[in-house]
Amino acid sequence: MLGRLRPETGRSSACGSLRSWRTSESRRTFAAAADPRAYRAIPDDRDFGLFRTQCDSEDGWTLTYSKSGIVVWVQMLEGEKSLHKIKCRMDCRDVAADTLYDVLHDIEYRKKWDTNVIETFDIGKLTVNADVGYYSWKCPKPLKNRDVITLRSWLPMGSDYIIMNYSVKHPKYPPRKDMVRAVSIQTGYLIQGKGPGHCSLTYLAQVDPKGSLPKWVVNKSSQFLAPKAMKKMHKACLKYPDWKQKHNPHFKPWLYPEQSTLPTVGLSELSIQHADSLENIDESSLSETKDDRAEGSDEDSVN
Protein backbone atom coordinates (compact mmCIF):
# COMPACT_ATOMS: atom_id res chain seq x y z
CA MET A 1 0.00 0.00 0.00
CA LEU A 2 2.88 2.37 0.62
CA GLY A 3 3.61 2.12 -3.07
CA ARG A 4 0.91 4.75 -3.52
CA LEU A 5 3.50 7.31 -2.40
CA ARG A 6 4.97 7.65 -5.86
CA PRO A 7 8.43 9.25 -5.97
CA GLU A 8 7.28 12.08 -8.20
CA THR A 9 4.17 12.97 -6.24
CA GLY A 10 4.40 11.33 -2.85
CA ARG A 11 7.05 11.15 -0.23
CA SER A 12 10.03 12.46 -2.20
CA SER A 13 8.12 15.41 -3.62
CA ALA A 14 6.67 16.35 -0.26
CA CYS A 15 9.95 16.12 1.61
CA GLY A 16 11.81 17.98 -1.10
CA SER A 17 9.35 20.84 -1.05
CA LEU A 18 9.44 20.97 2.72
CA ARG A 19 13.22 21.16 2.81
CA SER A 20 13.17 23.99 0.27
CA TRP A 21 11.56 26.16 2.94
CA ARG A 22 14.46 25.84 5.34
CA THR A 23 15.36 29.45 5.92
CA SER A 24 16.88 30.75 9.13
CA GLU A 25 13.36 31.76 10.18
CA SER A 26 11.63 28.46 9.45
CA ARG A 27 14.14 26.58 11.59
CA ARG A 28 12.64 28.36 14.56
CA THR A 29 9.14 27.15 13.70
CA PHE A 30 8.37 24.69 16.47
CA ALA A 31 11.67 25.08 18.32
CA ALA A 32 9.84 25.27 21.62
CA ALA A 33 6.18 24.52 22.17
CA ALA A 34 6.65 26.23 25.53
CA ASP A 35 7.12 29.55 23.74
CA PRO A 36 3.97 30.14 21.67
CA ARG A 37 5.10 33.70 20.87
CA ALA A 38 8.08 32.47 18.87
CA TYR A 39 8.07 33.17 15.14
CA ARG A 40 6.82 30.19 13.16
CA ALA A 41 6.73 29.25 9.52
CA ILE A 42 6.48 25.92 7.69
CA PRO A 43 8.00 23.14 9.81
CA ASP A 44 11.17 21.38 8.68
CA ASP A 45 12.60 17.95 9.54
CA ARG A 46 13.92 19.15 12.89
CA ASP A 47 10.45 20.33 13.90
CA PHE A 48 8.93 16.97 12.95
CA GLY A 49 11.68 15.25 14.94
CA LEU A 50 10.94 17.38 18.00
CA PHE A 51 7.25 16.58 17.75
CA ARG A 52 8.03 12.86 17.51
CA THR A 53 10.23 13.06 20.60
CA GLN A 54 7.39 14.67 22.55
CA CYS A 55 5.02 11.93 21.42
CA ASP A 56 7.40 9.18 22.54
CA SER A 57 8.38 10.72 25.88
CA GLU A 58 6.46 10.02 29.08
CA ASP A 59 8.49 12.35 31.31
CA GLY A 60 6.33 14.90 33.10
CA TRP A 61 3.05 13.28 32.05
CA THR A 62 0.32 12.01 34.39
CA LEU A 63 -1.54 8.86 33.36
CA THR A 64 -5.31 9.39 33.54
CA TYR A 65 -6.71 6.49 31.50
CA SER A 66 -5.56 3.06 30.35
CA LYS A 67 -8.00 0.53 28.96
CA SER A 68 -8.56 -1.60 25.86
CA GLY A 69 -5.41 -0.47 24.06
CA ILE A 70 -6.02 3.26 24.66
CA VAL A 71 -3.84 5.31 27.01
CA VAL A 72 -4.31 8.97 27.96
CA TRP A 73 -1.91 11.32 29.76
CA VAL A 74 -2.22 14.98 30.76
CA GLN A 75 0.39 17.57 31.61
CA MET A 76 -0.72 20.63 33.53
CA LEU A 77 1.24 23.80 32.87
CA GLU A 78 2.29 25.84 35.89
CA GLY A 79 0.64 29.22 36.23
CA GLU A 80 -1.82 28.53 33.41
CA LYS A 81 -5.09 27.21 34.81
CA SER A 82 -6.76 27.00 31.40
CA LEU A 83 -3.79 25.41 29.63
CA HIS A 84 -2.83 21.78 29.64
CA LYS A 85 -1.40 19.23 27.27
CA ILE A 86 -3.13 15.97 26.48
CA LYS A 87 -1.62 12.92 24.86
CA CYS A 88 -3.53 9.83 23.70
CA ARG A 89 -2.13 6.62 22.30
CA MET A 90 -4.10 3.85 20.63
CA ASP A 91 -2.92 0.48 19.40
CA CYS A 92 -4.74 -0.53 16.21
CA ARG A 93 -4.09 -4.20 15.50
CA ASP A 94 -6.54 -4.29 12.58
CA VAL A 95 -5.73 -1.01 10.81
CA ALA A 96 -2.85 -0.32 8.41
CA ALA A 97 -0.79 2.83 8.98
CA ASP A 98 -1.55 4.22 5.53
CA THR A 99 -5.30 3.74 6.06
CA LEU A 100 -5.19 5.72 9.29
CA TYR A 101 -3.15 8.41 7.53
CA ASP A 102 -5.81 8.65 4.80
CA VAL A 103 -8.63 8.87 7.35
CA LEU A 104 -6.96 11.77 9.17
CA HIS A 105 -6.50 13.64 5.88
CA ASP A 106 -9.82 12.97 4.17
CA ILE A 107 -11.90 16.01 5.05
CA GLU A 108 -15.08 14.67 3.40
CA TYR A 109 -14.90 11.46 5.38
CA ARG A 110 -14.25 13.37 8.62
CA LYS A 111 -17.62 15.04 8.19
CA LYS A 112 -19.15 11.55 8.27
CA TRP A 113 -17.50 10.11 11.38
CA ASP A 114 -16.40 13.08 13.51
CA THR A 115 -19.54 13.86 15.50
CA ASN A 116 -17.83 16.78 17.24
CA VAL A 117 -17.21 18.73 14.04
CA ILE A 118 -19.50 21.67 13.29
CA GLU A 119 -17.76 22.89 10.15
CA THR A 120 -14.41 22.16 8.51
CA PHE A 121 -12.87 23.18 5.20
CA ASP A 122 -9.54 23.82 3.53
CA ILE A 123 -8.66 27.45 2.79
CA GLY A 124 -5.57 27.08 0.62
CA LYS A 125 -2.23 25.35 0.11
CA LEU A 126 1.25 26.60 0.95
CA THR A 127 3.33 23.70 -0.43
CA VAL A 128 2.65 20.13 -1.53
CA ASN A 129 2.50 19.11 2.14
CA ALA A 130 1.29 22.22 3.96
CA ASP A 131 -2.08 23.94 3.92
CA VAL A 132 -4.35 26.27 5.88
CA GLY A 133 -7.79 25.25 7.09
CA TYR A 134 -10.75 26.02 9.33
CA TYR A 135 -12.22 23.71 11.99
CA SER A 136 -15.00 24.32 14.51
CA TRP A 137 -16.18 21.84 17.10
CA LYS A 138 -18.79 21.23 19.77
CA CYS A 139 -17.75 21.70 23.37
CA PRO A 140 -19.41 20.02 26.36
CA LYS A 141 -22.54 21.92 27.35
CA PRO A 142 -22.94 24.64 28.60
CA LEU A 143 -19.52 25.79 27.26
CA LYS A 144 -19.43 27.84 24.07
CA ASN A 145 -18.25 26.08 20.94
CA ARG A 146 -14.72 26.75 19.63
CA ASP A 147 -13.02 27.20 16.29
CA VAL A 148 -9.48 27.54 14.93
CA ILE A 149 -7.60 28.53 11.79
CA THR A 150 -4.50 26.37 11.49
CA LEU A 151 -1.45 25.87 9.33
CA ARG A 152 -1.13 22.12 8.92
CA SER A 153 1.84 20.17 7.60
CA TRP A 154 2.54 16.49 7.15
CA LEU A 155 5.46 14.16 6.49
CA PRO A 156 5.51 10.46 5.44
CA MET A 157 8.53 8.58 6.80
CA GLY A 158 8.42 5.06 5.38
CA SER A 159 5.74 3.26 7.38
CA ASP A 160 5.40 6.18 9.82
CA TYR A 161 3.60 9.49 9.34
CA ILE A 162 3.31 12.82 11.15
CA ILE A 163 0.56 15.42 10.77
CA MET A 164 0.76 18.55 12.91
CA ASN A 165 -0.63 22.08 13.07
CA TYR A 166 -0.57 25.42 14.86
CA SER A 167 -2.86 28.45 14.82
CA VAL A 168 -2.51 31.30 12.35
CA LYS A 169 -4.54 34.35 11.41
CA HIS A 170 -6.02 34.71 7.94
CA PRO A 171 -7.50 38.10 6.94
CA LYS A 172 -10.57 36.55 5.34
CA TYR A 173 -11.48 34.46 8.40
CA PRO A 174 -11.60 36.67 11.52
CA PRO A 175 -13.11 35.40 14.81
CA ARG A 176 -16.84 34.73 14.60
CA LYS A 177 -19.41 36.11 17.02
CA ASP A 178 -21.02 32.71 17.52
CA MET A 179 -17.73 30.95 18.36
CA VAL A 180 -14.79 31.35 20.71
CA ARG A 181 -11.58 31.47 18.65
CA ALA A 182 -9.20 29.01 20.33
CA VAL A 183 -5.46 28.75 19.75
CA SER A 184 -3.68 25.56 18.75
CA ILE A 185 -0.20 26.01 20.20
CA GLN A 186 0.84 22.58 18.99
CA THR A 187 -1.41 19.74 17.89
CA GLY A 188 -0.70 16.66 15.85
CA TYR A 189 -0.65 12.94 15.18
CA LEU A 190 2.15 10.40 15.01
CA ILE A 191 1.24 7.20 13.16
CA GLN A 192 3.69 4.32 13.53
CA GLY A 193 3.46 1.23 11.35
CA LYS A 194 3.83 -1.98 13.35
CA GLY A 195 3.48 -4.47 10.51
CA PRO A 196 0.86 -5.47 7.92
CA GLY A 197 -2.53 -4.19 9.06
CA HIS A 198 -1.17 -2.98 12.42
CA CYS A 199 -0.25 0.50 13.63
CA SER A 200 -0.30 2.80 16.63
CA LEU A 201 -1.57 6.37 16.82
CA THR A 202 -0.35 9.05 19.21
CA TYR A 203 -2.33 12.29 19.44
CA LEU A 204 -0.66 15.23 21.17
CA ALA A 205 -2.39 18.56 21.74
CA GLN A 206 -1.77 21.83 23.51
CA VAL A 207 -4.67 24.16 22.86
CA ASP A 208 -5.53 27.44 24.55
CA PRO A 209 -9.36 27.40 24.81
CA LYS A 210 -9.35 31.16 25.44
CA GLY A 211 -11.14 31.08 28.74
CA SER A 212 -11.08 29.79 32.28
CA LEU A 213 -12.54 26.30 32.17
CA PRO A 214 -14.07 24.37 35.08
CA LYS A 215 -12.04 21.44 36.39
CA TRP A 216 -14.69 18.95 35.29
CA VAL A 217 -13.95 19.82 31.64
CA VAL A 218 -10.30 18.76 31.95
CA ASN A 219 -11.30 15.58 33.80
CA LYS A 220 -13.99 14.72 31.27
CA SER A 221 -11.67 15.39 28.34
CA SER A 222 -9.00 12.97 29.55
CA GLN A 223 -11.20 10.28 31.06
CA PHE A 224 -14.14 10.16 28.68
CA LEU A 225 -14.03 12.40 25.62
CA ALA A 226 -10.51 11.55 24.44
CA PRO A 227 -10.92 7.76 24.73
CA LYS A 228 -14.32 7.96 23.05
CA ALA A 229 -12.88 10.02 20.19
CA MET A 230 -10.09 7.47 19.69
CA LYS A 231 -12.64 4.64 19.55
CA LYS A 232 -14.68 6.53 16.96
CA MET A 233 -11.57 7.08 14.89
CA HIS A 234 -10.73 3.37 15.05
CA LYS A 235 -14.19 2.40 13.83
CA ALA A 236 -13.94 5.02 11.10
CA CYS A 237 -10.69 3.44 9.92
CA LEU A 238 -12.31 0.02 9.64
CA LYS A 239 -15.09 1.44 7.46
CA TYR A 240 -12.95 3.76 5.38
CA PRO A 241 -11.78 1.38 2.58
CA ASP A 242 -15.37 0.51 1.63
CA TRP A 243 -16.54 4.12 1.93
CA LYS A 244 -13.67 5.42 -0.17
CA GLN A 245 -14.35 2.93 -2.95
CA LYS A 246 -17.75 4.61 -3.38
CA HIS A 247 -16.57 8.20 -2.98
CA ASN A 248 -13.97 9.38 -5.48
CA PRO A 249 -11.58 6.51 -4.68
CA HIS A 250 -8.59 7.89 -6.58
CA PHE A 251 -8.77 11.40 -5.16
CA LYS A 252 -6.10 11.73 -2.45
CA PRO A 253 -4.34 15.08 -2.82
CA TRP A 254 -2.39 14.49 0.39
CA LEU A 255 -0.61 11.71 -1.53
CA TYR A 256 -0.84 13.13 -5.04
CA PRO A 257 -0.51 16.93 -4.77
CA GLU A 258 -1.19 17.44 -8.47
CA GLN A 259 -4.82 16.55 -7.67
CA SER A 260 -5.24 19.56 -5.37
CA THR A 261 -7.56 22.30 -6.57
CA LEU A 262 -6.92 24.58 -3.58
CA PRO A 263 -5.76 28.14 -4.25
CA THR A 264 -2.20 28.96 -3.25
CA VAL A 265 -1.76 30.91 -0.02
CA GLY A 266 1.44 32.85 0.59
CA LEU A 267 3.09 32.98 3.98
CA SER A 268 2.86 36.77 3.73
CA GLU A 269 -0.93 36.44 3.95
CA LEU A 270 -0.70 34.71 7.33
CA SER A 271 0.41 35.75 10.78
CA ILE A 272 0.76 33.99 14.11
CA GLN A 273 -2.42 33.85 16.18
CA HIS A 274 -1.27 35.10 19.56
CA ALA A 275 -3.55 34.02 22.38
CA ASP A 276 -3.41 37.43 24.10
CA SER A 277 -4.92 39.12 21.05
CA LEU A 278 -8.18 37.19 21.48
CA GLU A 279 -10.98 37.67 23.97
CA ASN A 280 -10.92 35.56 27.13
CA ILE A 281 -14.18 34.30 28.57
CA ASP A 282 -14.69 33.00 32.10
CA GLU A 283 -16.56 29.70 32.12
CA SER A 284 -14.96 28.37 35.32
CA SER A 285 -18.20 28.52 37.31
CA LEU A 286 -20.30 26.61 34.77
CA SER A 287 -21.65 23.24 35.82
CA GLU A 288 -21.97 20.20 33.60
CA THR A 289 -25.47 19.82 32.19
CA LYS A 290 -27.63 16.92 33.22
CA ASP A 291 -27.82 15.64 29.65
CA ASP A 292 -24.04 15.52 29.34
CA ARG A 293 -23.64 13.74 32.68
CA ALA A 294 -26.09 11.12 31.47
CA GLU A 295 -24.13 10.52 28.28
CA GLY A 296 -22.74 7.33 29.73
CA SER A 297 -19.37 5.80 30.37
CA ASP A 298 -16.45 5.23 28.03
CA GLU A 299 -17.98 1.87 27.20
CA ASP A 300 -20.75 3.54 25.19
CA SER A 301 -21.18 2.27 21.67
CA VAL A 302 -19.53 4.32 18.96
CA ASN A 303 -21.47 4.58 15.72
Side-chain angles (χ1 to χ4, degrees), residues 48 112 139 169 231 263:
F48 283 105
K112 300 291 183 181
C139 290
K169 289 193 289 187
K231 291 177 184 179

Side-chain angles (χ1 to χ4, degrees), residues 105 142 152-153 244 254 296:
H105 269 292
R152 181 183 62 161
S153 55
K244 189 60 176 173
W254 53 93

Side-chain angles (χ1 to χ4, degrees), residues 73-87:
W73 300 266
V74 296
Q75 188 179 90
M76 304 305 296
L77 304 179
E78 281 188 42
E80 297 285 354
K81 292 183 179 179
S82 65
L83 284 180
H84 71 283
K85 288 184 179 181
I86 187 168
K87 179 162 62 176

Side-chain angles (χ1 to χ4, degrees), residues 111-170:
K111 295 173 185 177
K112 300 291 183 181
W113 67 267
D114 187 350
T115 55
N116 289 321
V117 67
I118 298 174
E119 183 180 15
T120 183
F121 54 85
D122 296 324
I123 295 172
K125 60 183 178 182
L126 288 148
T127 69
V128 293
N129 61 325
D131 61 18
V132 179
Y134 174 86
Y135 182 83
S136 60
W137 70 95
K138 303 172 188 173
C139 290
K141 296 177 182 178
L143 272 63
K144 292 186 176 180
N145 295 327
R146 262 67 175 175
D147 69 354
V148 288
I149 302 289
T150 61
L151 188 159
R152 181 183 62 161
S153 55
W154 54 93
L155 183 67
M157 302 167 292
S159 60
D160 297 347
Y161 307 84
I162 290 177
I163 305 171
M164 59 187 188
N165 72 60
Y166 64 89
S167 280
V168 293
K169 289 193 289 187
H170 191 290

